[in-house]
Amino acid sequence: TEVLVRGLGGERVAAVALPAKEATAGTLRRRLAAEHGLPLYTQRLLLDGQILEDEVELAPSGPPHEGRPVEIMLIRVSFDPEASGELLTQAWQGDVVEVLRILRAPANPDFCRD
């Protein structure tokens, strides 16, 4: 599945080829992080104005899209410094559900306290 990622201004951010079986928003987000240095938890991917959850499949739909890439909009959000401290606390306590919730805040996963 060919995916074209554009920024808010319409500029091309990336073009990514994903194997059909792995063509999800989560896979795309991980590829953007690894290949383009875009921190995972600062990315919000939109398709037709809707924020995509990681499990959403990225596949062209119907004849009008055949042969064309799926176009996704990327919005970058800033880290929330207050959530970063809470992320660290919840990680130390081993609360996976809270860690995942806070990461969507987005909290800086590289935050540490002195």
Side-chain angles (χ1 to χ4, degrees):
T1 302
E2 296 293 324
V3 181
L4 178 60
V5 181
R6 295 192 181 277
L8 275 174
E11 73 280 6
R12 180 181 166 154
V13 174
V16 179
L18 298 172
K21 292 182 180 180
E22 299 173 20
T24 65
T27 302
L28 177 60
R29 286 174 11 99
R30 288 187 293 279
R31 289 274 301 271
L32 291 171
E35 297 174 11
H36 299 279
L38 303 172
L40 190 64
Y41 294 103
T42 65
Q43 300 175 32
R44 296 296 179 269
L45 300 177
L46 282 79
L47 178 62
D48 297 327
Q50 299 294 315
I51 295 177
L52 302 177
E53 296 296 326
D54 284 347
E55 303 78 28
V56 172
E57 292 183 22
L58 305 176
S61 57
H65 299 289
E66 286 180 7
R68 293 191 342 209
V70 176
E71 288 200 30
I72 301 292
M73 180 180 288
L74 170 68
I75 296 177
R76 302 279 312 278
V77 293
S78 305
F79 286 126
D80 178 350
E82 291 180 19
S84 298
E86 182 65 15
L87 170 64
L88 187 59
T89 299
Q90 296 303 324
W92 280 338
Q93 293 175 357
D95 190 337
V96 175
V97 172
E98 276 300 296
V99 166
L100 292 174
R101 182 192 64 77
I102 294 166
L103 283 173
R104 294 190 185 274
N108 185 346
D110 297 323
F111 177 85
C112 68
R113 292 186 181 138
D114 292 330

